[in-house]
Amino acid sequence: MGNILLSSLVFSPLLAIIVMAFIPNRHAGVIKQVGIYGTLPALILAGWMFGMFNYETANLQFVEKHSWISIPIGMAQAGTVFAFEINYELGIDGISMPLILLTAIIGTLAAIASWQIKKRQKEYFILFHLLLIGMLGVFAADNLFLFFIFFELTLVPMYFLIGIWGYGEREQAANKFLLYNGIGSGIMLLAFIVIFVIMRTLNIDEITAILTTPGHPITEILTPEMRFGIFLVLFIAFAIKLPVFPFHTWMLRVHVQAPPSIVMIHSGILLKMGAYGLLRMGIGFFPEQAYDFSMWIAVLGIINILYGAVLAFVQKDLKMVLAYSSISHMGIVLLGFASMNTIGFQGAMFQVVSHGFISALLFFLIGVIWDRTQTSMLDDLGGLAKSMPFVSGVLLAGGMASLGLPGMSGFISEFFAFLGLFGRLPVMAAVGAIGIVLTAVYLLRAILKTTFGPTPGRCTGLADAQPMEVIPMVVLLGCIILIGVYPAVLGNPMQQALKTIVPIVTGIGG
Amino acid sequence: MEVKDIFSYDWSYLLPEFIILGFATFLSLLDLFAGKRLGKQVIGWLSFLGTVIAAIFVIINMNALNKPYSYMIDMIRIDDYGNAFKLIFLAGTAFAILISLSYLKAGEVQHRGEYYYLLLTGLLGAMVMASSADLITLFVGLELLSLSSYVLVGLRKKSRLSNESAFKYVVSGSIATAVLLFGMSYVYGLAGTTHIYEISFRLAEAGMAGYQFLVYTAFAFLAVGLAFKISAAPNHMWAPDVYQGAPTPVTVFLAVVSKAAGFALIFRVMMISFFNVSDGTGSGRFFFEEGSLYLGLMAAASMIIGNTMALRQTNVKRMMAYSGIAQAGYLLVPFVPPTSLFFSEVIFYLFGYLLVSFGAFAVIMVVSREQETEDLKGFAGLYHRSPVMAIAMSIFLLSLAGIPITVGFFGKFYLFMGTLVVENYWLAAIMIITSVISYYYYFGIIRQMYMRPGTTEAPMVVPKGIWTFILIMAIATVFFGAFPGLVTDYIQIHFNPSFDFGNMLSPSSQ
């Protein structure tokens, strides 16, 4: 187990932090360059690992394990001390691999987008890289304690990134973010420790194995009611992060107030940590309970889809349209989970990755537009296609991907998610599908209003995309189309891992 | 128990106490006869030396003693439990002396000599409290600590605030002492002895003989009286005023040393005295059922009151006082009911609290003196003026809030785990919710430091001594947060915590 590849991937942003710490504040340009290049080691390593990844197996790969903390709790027989062990364990499977690659790609692109940051660049990039460590760690952790630490590690930099570099009401947004997510991770910790105390391990794989083995001695301690209780606690914790309907208000504020590069990360990756946790720790640990609860997951998913779509339609701010659109799209992830079969899960995970790219692209574009026009209100925008044809074109393409045009990633994910759900809850699926229509309505309305129509004074004579801005647009759009045209690139690694979850679900639940 | 001649004891185990006593006496005489001619700092450095030598002897005792050594029927009792607490008291006093040495405002405290040896006598009181098992010596220790503290609080003679707080402290302290003595009189009345291990059996008999109600009454009075020292609800009201009025090093001495001493006492007295008392049904033990539930309610009330009242504070020392009330609540959690983890939980938490409190109060001292205000706004823009101070303060605040990777996080995690081992979900839930509430006010200071413009941008001058001290505390906070195992292992190896509550229980009562 002398493999340190995964650790070097997760902690590679530290290199940039150390280098930056020695650069004086006045060299803003150098700091920005280091900030961008600093994300490359993670990107290269992630790409390389994706290439080396063996997707024939569902086992964890690149596993690392070191003992870390041991808490003695009493004497076992023969005088040996009995202890709780907390280990440093990393490992990735087919579900986390694509997410790590997604994080690395969006990380680099968001760093490029951060070129726009005009004040306190050094602190910005140091916090940015801390955030990156947290996000990579969340997906790489194979231990609940470690998962939690990385999860929390994203909280503090995000607070600063929103609160210092955001727009007008940034501090309120940062506070709301902190409190909601603090509660989320707090109750997550509660569930984790209950699991730890009962099962005496924090290893995700071991816990999954123990919980899903029928007749395991643990079942005597862990009654079905308790299982359901822990499942529900985990579900709420991740529902706040995702965010699921009644817990979504914080996310709107963050989307509107945070700087564009941070919204790219937030909407592209941080929301996905909720979906990932839900699949791995909610459904993965408690398949039976999830199966019984799947009806409600579907209901919540539908609420998310329709509520998000309807409210997106009435928004006056382009950012709010996309924020509500994110809520709507996260509903599709829930629907995929509710299907409880391979296709549905695949749809959900596809949606996770695809929405990561799409929303990163769209929020990047909003940042570009804001940079030129100082507004994102739909009424103040219009006719951008004349002065910014390239940006407008990419915006249209991104919108198309978001509403699920065939040939783009959005289509594949929606198709799989609904296909999966039709197999199990056809009525729900039919209701949810209305959302697809609504998506087309609000997105086209917003995009048409922005790019075509009468051109207000402030929207004339704007510069089109600069080289620094073209790179993220092209790369993101490329990823979107690649997944749309060749879904196997994502499907293959996931396949095996998802297959191990599904038989457990269906095998027990019927 | 066989009666021993006073010379037949091996007095060397009491060297730590003797050294402190000796230094206090010597320094008071030195101050009396040579005070004017001595350099300002000499007495301070000598008292620091005293604490260091005493600590060395405590460590020697720890290694030399395998089982408790008792003087005069447990009047004084050297055991693991007391030694662990003594190390915390000694470190706390040493730190208090250090920050006073480098930063006590000229003219703020008129009687510098007295200041230092009063800290030593207070320390001696705390040490006696930690290592005796007899109500008389416990009470003498408590009063020694209290009287020293009363004077210390009022030592800023010319400050109206200091006078007021000293007055309040004396009055409310005396009332608490009276309540405590009232409780002790019940215990003595029922047991007919002041020896705690004897009481343990006598109270059990009294309970069986139909004096259940009186036993409970004794417990309630003792708990309320002792709650004063640890500033836990319902006897917490003094803390904000006193914390605000006292010189800052004294404030933190009260917050750490005095509070830890209170805990040493509360656990020794409450737990051992009521260890054998059965509850009403005769099946369970009173302390592990109703008694600890009572302490649990105190813990819950302290957490809720402390954390919610802190939200409204604008004076940073008052805010820290409410935070201290909340921390007292957390520290009571392991006793609901005590598990085999409780001893190392408490010691670890106190260890972390020691580092963090001293660090935070040192920063507060520097900032409030420089800004000439203790208002939260004094922190505005600190980051631009002294990044090191701001980052260190952020680390302390994050640790108090319980965010990884800090020592405070692991402390809370440990407490949390302990309470879930005994399935105290309600207390765990209160802990989580109040912790998240606490984010708001801890981050309030962080907000000031990073997001608000200060009155000036000029770099802040921080004396070297205090700068180094703060830096070391900050590094230690992170280091022990990442490797808490070092401390838990140390506790495990040197204090034998798991099996008989750190040698607290006499062998016959287990």
Side-chain angles (χ1 to χ4, degrees), chain B residues 185-238:
Chain B
S185 70
Y186 272 83
V187 172
Y188 182 73
L190 288 164
T193 171
T194 56
H195 182 228
I196 287 183
Y197 292 99
E198 289 270 317
I199 289 172
S200 168
F201 297 105
R202 297 291 159 271
L203 278 187
E205 286 165 15
M208 299 296 254
Y211 296 104
Q212 203 82 25
F213 178 73
L214 289 180
V215 176
Y216 292 0
T217 315
F219 184 87
F221 276 109
L222 283 179
V224 170
L226 288 171
F228 173 83
K229 262 278 112 109
I230 59 171
S231 69
N235 228 334
H236 61 279
M237 263 81 117
W238 60 276

Side-chain angles (χ1 to χ4, degrees), chain A residues 68-69 71-73 84 120 123 145 148 152 159-160 163 171 175 178-179 182-183 186 190 193 196-197 226, chain B residues 340-341 383-384 404 409 413-414 416-417 420-421 425 428 432 436 439 443 446-447 450-452 482 484 492:
Chain A
W68 184 12
I69 306 165
I71 301 170
I73 54 163
F84 283 136
R120 294 160 78 173
E123 294 100 296
F145 188 74
F148 179 80
E152 288 284 278
Y159 175 81
F160 286 110
E171 285 186 19
N175 282 337
L178 187 73
L179 290 184
I183 290 176
L190 184 73
I193 301 181
F196 183 40
V197 166
M226 254 182 100
Chain B
S340 55
L341 287 175
Y383 177 77
H384 302 285
F409 164 71
F413 175 84
Y414 207 2
F416 207 56
M417 204 176 82
L420 289 176
V421 165
Y425 298 117
I432 287 278
V436 176
Y439 285 5
F443 274 80
I446 292 182
R447 202 154 52 235
Y450 292 89
M451 302 178 195
R452 297 285 160 80
Q492 167 70 14

Side-chain angles (χ1 to χ4, degrees), chain A residues 107-127:
Chain A
T108 304
L109 297 179
I112 296 176
S114 307
W115 198 261
Q116 306 297 337
I117 294 296
K118 289 184 182 66
K119 59 171 182 180
R120 294 160 78 173
Q121 290 89 353
K122 185 165 151 183
E123 294 100 296
Y124 174 88
F125 276 104
I126 288 178
L127 289 166

Side-chain angles (χ1 to χ4, degrees), chain A residues 313-334:
Chain A
F313 185 67
V314 297
Q315 295 308 315
K316 293 193 168 61
D317 187 341
L318 190 54
K319 283 183 194 163
M320 285 300 266
V321 174
L322 292 181
Y324 275 109
S325 144
S326 283
I327 292 178
S328 178
H329 280 104
M330 289 300 106
I332 295 176
V333 175
L334 286 178

